[in-house]
Amino acid sequence: MKNFKERLWRGLLLLAILTASVLPQVGKQMQRRPRLQPTSAAAAVESQPQQPKFRLDCTLPNLTTEPLAIDNVCGNGGNSAAGSNSAKQNNIKNRFCLPGAATTPIEIDFNVLDQLQKAAHDKGIPFGRKPVPNSNQTVENLPPDRSVLVDLITDAQGRHLGEGTLVRLEGFVFKAQHSNTFVFSGTGESVNCNTKTLAGNDIHIALARTKAGTTNQSEASECKTVTAEITPHHRSAIYNRFDSNPVDFLNGQQQQAGQDKLNGHPLPLKGARVRVTGQLFFDASHSPCTNGHGGPPRRSIWEVHPVYAIEVFEAAQNKFIPFEEWAQLHAN
């Protein structure tokens, strides 16, 4: 019996020694074991960077290839219903490159935009607004088929002109400002998903035929202007400075919550002689002026939109130079 008890105690003692030496090693191994990563589809999606909603169809020198805030939240068709006439128009507004189109711009003047306006009218292409039956309301009267706007006219040189044609237009800045923003209690545009910030809206440029035409800022004078617009999508920061409206700038004031006014003061753009390059676009949401009134005022609803490049005439050099260079010379 005594021998049995001794053997039992020796066994228990040996077990205790083994336990004390082995368990810590097992614990260390368990601590060193890597944690398993989730392999579900949801986890894989979460690990991917957010894809921008706006699809850039090509790159241009004055564009930034990095998506901006507006690019991440608003697609090419804006917030209009897919397949609607509004979405069709928005996609044209946001089209930077027309496949197969010439890459050398055609020089045009104000008369060409007048001719295009008359041709659209003569062909009965809808634009403006139309009344809603049995209501006091109106709705946009947009073309259901925009192919009729392509090659709409042929000029004296035999060049075909219409929506999507790459053109260059010279004029004088009547005014330039970020449109449809909080500054004027704007509600944004469907093309920009009704964003109200400056960074999320087009820059509307009204161009006069002569410098003298920019001095009188009345509606009747603006009715003699034509329009060019810079889209907010992939817009380089310097192009936000193409704005002659002081209320869009801080002018020494503090930025208010929810605002994104531009730093500093406006550049001396009002009355400046400029050349804009971009695609011809028929903005059927509007109508040309009638009897000196329009909303917004313009002589033709044919625009240069989107604008690809801007040059400003620098008197000291007696030539047009890129806006980027001109802005540096005249920064304040």
Side-chain angles (χ1 to χ4, degrees), residues 72-262:
N72 288 324
V73 299
C74 190
N76 300 63
N79 60 2
S80 296
S84 66
N85 293 341
S86 178
K88 294 175 185 177
Q89 177 166 276
N90 289 344
N91 274 284
I92 299 295
K93 283 185 177 183
N94 285 324
R95 184 180 62 191
F96 284 104
C97 292
L98 179 61
T103 56
T104 301
I106 296 175
E107 303 281 348
I108 65 169
D109 57 20
F110 284 43
N111 293 334
V112 169
L113 298 176
D114 292 341
Q115 293 169 24
L116 286 164
Q117 184 65 49
K118 183 178 184 304
H121 181 271
D122 291 345
K123 285 184 176 291
I125 298 173
F127 61 84
R129 303 188 70 84
K130 60 183 179 181
V132 177
N134 304 316
S135 169
N136 293 327
Q137 304 297 316
T138 62
V139 293
E140 290 184 329
N141 188 25
L142 305 179
D145 177 15
R146 302 193 74 92
S147 66
V148 297
L149 295 162
V150 179
D151 293 342
L152 189 61
I153 65 172
T154 304
D155 66 8
Q157 289 76 41
R159 300 174 301 185
H160 298 274
L161 295 162
E163 191 163 81
T165 304
L166 184 63
V167 298
R168 182 161 57 196
L169 174 69
E170 182 176 330
F172 295 82
V173 178
F174 182 90
K175 70 178 182 181
Q177 64 187 39
H178 292 70
S179 58
N180 304 97
T181 69
F182 68 88
V183 174
F184 295 106
S185 300
T187 57
E189 294 183 276
S190 68
V191 67
N192 299 319
C193 299
N194 295 102
T195 306
K196 298 180 182 181
T197 62
L198 273 70
N201 274 281
D202 295 12
I203 299 176
H204 177 103
I205 307 168
L207 296 174
R209 190 193 293 267
T210 64
K211 187 176 181 65
T214 67
T215 55
N216 185 338
Q217 294 286 296
S218 68
E219 182 181 8
S221 293
E222 190 170 355
C223 278
K224 299 176 183 178
T225 68
V226 295
T227 300
E229 299 207 32
I230 311 171
T231 175
H233 291 288
H234 289 273
R235 184 166 64 208
S236 295
I238 189 63
Y239 274 77
N240 281 301
R241 295 281 300 178
F242 202 94
D243 188 318
S244 64
N245 191 350
V247 298
D248 286 340
F249 291 80
L250 288 174
N251 293 303
Q253 301 298 313
Q254 293 293 317
Q255 194 83 261
Q256 300 297 313
Q259 297 184 354
D260 66 334
K261 287 193 174 185
L262 304 173

Side-chain angles (χ1 to χ4, degrees), residues 238 241 266-269 311-332:
I238 189 63
R241 295 281 300 178
L267 295 166
L269 278 168
E311 301 164 281
V312 186
F313 189 81
E314 176 55 44
Q317 301 180 30
N318 195 33
K319 66 177 183 180
F320 282 99
I321 62 175
F323 172 66
E324 298 90 322
E325 296 179 19
W326 184 87
Q328 290 182 351
L329 293 174
H330 296 270
N332 48 23

